[in-house]
Amino acid sequence: MPKFYITTAIHYVNDDPHIGHMYENIVADVIARHRRRMGDDVWFLTGTDEHGQKIERSAAKEKILPIELADRVVKTHHDLWKRLNISHDDFIRTTESRHRVGVYELIGRIQERNPGDIYLGEHSGWYCQSEETFIPENQVKDGLDQEGHKVEQTTERNYFFKLSAYSDKLLKHYRDNQSFIYPQTRMNEVVSFVEQGLRDLSISRTTVQWGIPFPGNPDHVIYVWMDALTNYISALGFGSADDKAYEKYWPANVHLVGKDIVRFHAVYWPAFLMAAGIELPKQVAGHGWWLRDNQKISKSLGNVVRPYNIIDDFGADPFRYFLVREMVFGQDQNYSDEAFLGRYNADLANDLGNTLSRAIKMSSDYFGGKTPPTPCDDNDLLLAAEELIPEYLREMDSFAFQRALDVAWRLLVAINGYIVSREPWKKFKETGADESLSRIIWNVLESLRIVWTMVAPVMPTVSREALTRIGADPDLITKDALRWGVLPNNRPVRVTDPIFPRIDTVAYIGDPKKMSESQTPPPVETTQAAPPDLAKISIDQFMGVDLRVAEIRAAEKVEKSKKLMKLTVFTGDSERTIVAGIATKYTPEELVGRKVVIVANLQPAKLMGVESNGMVLAASIDGEPSLLSVDAGVPAGTKVK
Ligand code: MSP
């Protein structure tokens, strides 16, 4: 039996998972489920990265121990993966002793085979705390790295890994293994990064306590990538007395990670493994980012999305479907609840759900609540299915899940066309439930069974329900289910409620409680109707807010944002920039010369990379901003109270 070992990145445990993490685990789960039914012996690993400065700091802020924080947050990871029906076989925490054993074994093997590859040295350079890595000089501009994170000059004495010695070997490996990094764009990036020459990598810290002590020198802890990446083998028992799983599953078939950490997986990790004389993983696949208003969703940007309401209200499967269907693997995609609702009604309630109900109802009405008595192996739908199944399999095997689902939908279109052209209701009226009608309805149900089998790795729970309703065997989850001629005859079908009840999108969106938790700083600081129980504030508290009249001197839309407008406003003695979420309502021409009321003493905040110094007041009517107006004669700078 071919073995298939797939891993996700291990997610930082300093915060609850967000939609980016969810996507990664869902895609890995889709692959794992698909490979299992194709007959592979699958091992699917996910887990949490629990050491390092971020976690140490988050815990210190809460005045708890890092392990207490990790224990608490890891629970939300477990709960969420359960809720999303993630079928991982193992979950590794880097604070487990099996992980430490694996890390020590890896370092030991490197020291033994290539004694000079780990050495104590001094390093100065631009250090990015957020990425926990040194950033090359040419990637630093105005104190920021290419991702916009702050960097600072740091000198450290610590252990280094001689990464610089591996450039040529890595380049050769990429050349000889063209599919080592997927997609090709990521391969190109990595190749050009390595071609520029690699610097040695710092792998220990003395300034951080929260980590695995460096072997032989406990003043240092092993830092970040040497620790984290090793999870892929430590979880398999590498270095322990029982390393059967390691012997069986390593090398991994796929490390599935976001594009931001492809480099660490495709450069550092293979170099460590080469140094230790361990076989390299077969592939590193980099997915794109979920964005909000075109910005990466991440904790550090404060714009996380956790669509718990969507999962609660619709179940895990429609949400899984949406994430997989909406994003082209490898590319970025904006998230919105509205887009989810649109796809839910169109693709699921309408296309998939209605066709199912319609087909089952006909079978039930014409054939006494059962599947038709006669199968059929010569018809248009069979031809369509036989053409589409191999195409579907090709797409599934090349990370094109979106296109694989599209193939299923093409079969759905063919089914609907077939129903319309055969007019079974007319036939039933004219000649009753004869053999020809039996074949027609059986064809419809059989091809629907194939559609639901195609979507099964993405929607594992609902597809079982649908297959049961059709009269198919929901436990037939092998590759045999992906061929024509499987649906049994004379099996009870179930006519019941729609499998995806339609949702009133307007009502759903109109209910603010329903929308996903997003900590995006509100782009326009609008005054919502105050809830009656809003806490009262004192006059002193109110006077602490410096409200002023300001004149808009210039306005331009913020690039790549639908809502944001960058305003230059004059406050009587100086000009400042304010970013306001008013671009859906106002054009720059309408704004210039207008007087508005601003909060002048607000802490600066960055919105889409632009620093905003204050807030423009506006009322909000169903999310649509309406600026407060000021009489023309009031000079800019006048206090408002
Ligand atoms: N702990 C490291 C990985 C170590 S792997 C040996 C890490 N953790 S993370 O929590 O920041 O990210 C975990 C995974 O989620 C990464 O693959 C990352 O790319 C992915 N995502 C984080 N934000 C994302 C989006 N907004 N969209 C999609 N995935 C992104 O990095």
Side-chain angles (χ1 to χ4, degrees), residues 9-12 18 20-21 24 49 225 228-229 231-232 257-261 265 287-290 296-297:
I10 44 170
H11 302 164
Y12 287 125
H18 61 61
H21 307 128
E24 189 167 291
D49 190 349
W225 293 104
L229 288 159
N231 87 89
Y232 302 129
V257 298
K259 63 181 186 178
D260 48 326
I261 58 170
H265 285 76
H287 60 76
W289 287 340
W290 282 94
K296 183 187 178 207
I297 286 170

Side-chain angles (χ1 to χ4, degrees), residues 229-518:
L229 288 159
T230 310
N231 87 89
Y232 302 129
I233 50 178
S234 66
L236 298 177
F238 174 73
S240 76
D242 178 6
D243 64 356
K244 278 194 298 295
Y246 170 72
E247 291 300 333
K248 181 170 179 189
Y249 290 110
W250 189 257
N253 295 71
V254 186
H255 289 315
L256 180 73
V257 298
K259 63 181 186 178
D260 48 326
I261 58 170
V262 164
R263 183 186 294 178
F264 307 116
H265 285 76
V267 180
Y268 299 1
W269 182 223
F272 296 161
L273 294 170
M274 282 173 181
I278 297 172
E279 220 180 315
L280 306 195
K282 295 205 163 61
Q283 191 170 47
V284 176
H287 60 76
W289 287 340
W290 282 94
L291 312 173
R292 182 129 195 154
D293 296 327
N294 297 311
Q295 273 197 303
K296 183 187 178 207
I297 286 170
S298 82
K299 190 186 177 200
S300 49
L301 292 173
N303 65 348
V304 294
V305 177
R306 297 192 185 93
Y308 292 147
N309 290 329
I310 296 278
I311 303 167
D312 282 347
D313 294 345
F314 296 85
D317 281 4
F319 178 66
R320 290 168 58 111
Y321 168 79
F322 174 73
L323 293 192
V324 176
R325 177 68 185 79
E326 192 76 354
M327 187 178 246
V328 175
F329 185 91
Q331 293 179 17
D332 296 348
Q333 180 65 43
N334 268 299
Y335 177 83
S336 77
D337 287 351
E338 288 86 342
F340 167 82
L341 297 168
R343 271 211 182 275
Y344 174 83
N345 272 343
D347 299 5
L348 300 182
N350 197 37
D351 298 346
L352 197 54
N354 278 352
T355 313
L356 180 80
S357 306
R358 201 174 167 200
I360 294 176
K361 173 102 178 39
M362 287 192 290
S363 198
S364 179
D365 287 354
Y366 308 156
F367 300 99
K370 300 211 166 116
T371 57
T374 330
C376 181
D377 56 9
D378 172 21
N379 64 85
D380 296 351
L381 283 180
L382 177 151
L383 292 179
E386 285 189 338
E387 189 190 313
L388 293 172
I389 292 169
E391 193 177 333
Y392 163 84
L393 290 173
R394 275 197 301 278
E395 305 293 18
M396 288 297 282
D397 287 341
S398 48
F399 295 99
F401 312 106
Q402 194 206 30
R403 285 210 299 269
L405 289 169
D406 212 56
V407 172
W409 258 248
R410 271 157 55 202
L411 188 52
L412 209 51
V413 169
I415 297 170
N416 280 307
Y418 181 83
I419 297 175
V420 171
S421 70
R422 297 304 189 277
E423 298 184 307
W425 47 91
K426 247 195 192 165
K427 268 198 166 347
F428 182 65
K429 258 198 201 144
E430 285 162 9
T431 51
D434 63 1
E435 193 176 317
S436 133
L437 186 66
S438 170
R439 286 173 191 273
I440 292 173
I441 299 299
W442 190 85
N443 287 336
V444 168
L445 288 182
E446 172 61 354
S447 25
L448 259 179
R449 185 194 63 75
I450 293 173
V451 169
W452 281 97
T453 306
M454 286 176 171
V455 302
V458 180
M459 295 194 280
T461 310
V462 185
S463 62
R464 282 184 69 84
E465 166 66 17
L467 290 168
T468 310
R469 289 188 187 187
I470 290 175
D473 176 3
D475 293 320
L476 185 68
I477 32 178
T478 65
K479 61 177 157 208
D480 287 341
L482 277 166
R483 63 175 176 80
W484 186 267
V486 171
L487 183 74
N489 304 108
N490 301 313
R491 276 286 176 83
V493 294
R494 273 181 43 207
V495 178
T496 173
D497 301 337
I499 203 151
F500 298 116
R502 268 192 87 78
I503 183 84
D504 179 343
T505 316
V506 175
Y508 196 90
I509 292 174
D511 182 348
K513 288 198 297 296
K514 294 285 185 196
M515 301 313 271
S516 291
E517 179 207 346
S518 159

Side-chain angles (χ1 to χ4, degrees), residues 15-139:
D15 200 14
D16 295 346
H18 61 61
I19 190 171
H21 307 128
M22 297 182 200
Y23 173 74
E24 189 167 291
N25 277 42
I26 289 169
V27 169
D29 187 60
V30 168
I31 299 173
R33 285 176 187 271
H34 178 60
R35 295 305 336 157
R36 278 190 205 112
R37 74 171 173 185
M38 297 311 282
D40 289 0
D41 174 357
V42 172
W43 196 253
F44 168 15
L45 173 73
T46 189
T48 38
D49 190 349
E50 307 196 352
H51 291 133
Q53 201 156 46
K54 280 187 197 167
I55 287 135
E56 193 171 62
R57 284 184 182 166
S58 303
K61 240 191 233 161
E62 290 193 41
K63 299 200 170 63
I64 55 175
L65 295 171
I67 192 65
E68 290 176 299
L69 176 79
D71 285 347
R72 187 187 73 211
V73 181
V74 77
K75 199 180 161 314
T76 66
H77 288 244
H78 282 298
D79 291 349
L80 183 65
W81 304 146
K82 198 161 167 215
R83 213 156 137 195
L84 289 175
N85 220 342
I86 304 299
S87 63
H88 50 281
D89 298 287
D90 194 6
F91 188 104
I92 177 94
R93 300 179 61 181
T94 54
T95 45
E96 288 175 68
S97 60
R98 61 171 171 161
H99 178 64
R100 179 186 293 221
V101 168
V103 173
Y104 283 169
E105 178 72 17
L106 181 70
I107 292 180
R109 287 205 194 179
I110 297 174
Q111 286 171 330
E112 202 180 291
R113 284 177 65 99
N114 290 291
D117 275 6
I118 291 178
Y119 64 92
L120 200 54
E122 203 159 82
H123 183 67
S124 300
W126 292 107
Y127 188 75
C128 171
Q129 209 126 67
S130 157
E131 297 282 314
E132 292 177 337
T133 180
F134 279 97
I135 306 291
E137 185 78 42
N138 62 0
Q139 289 174 21

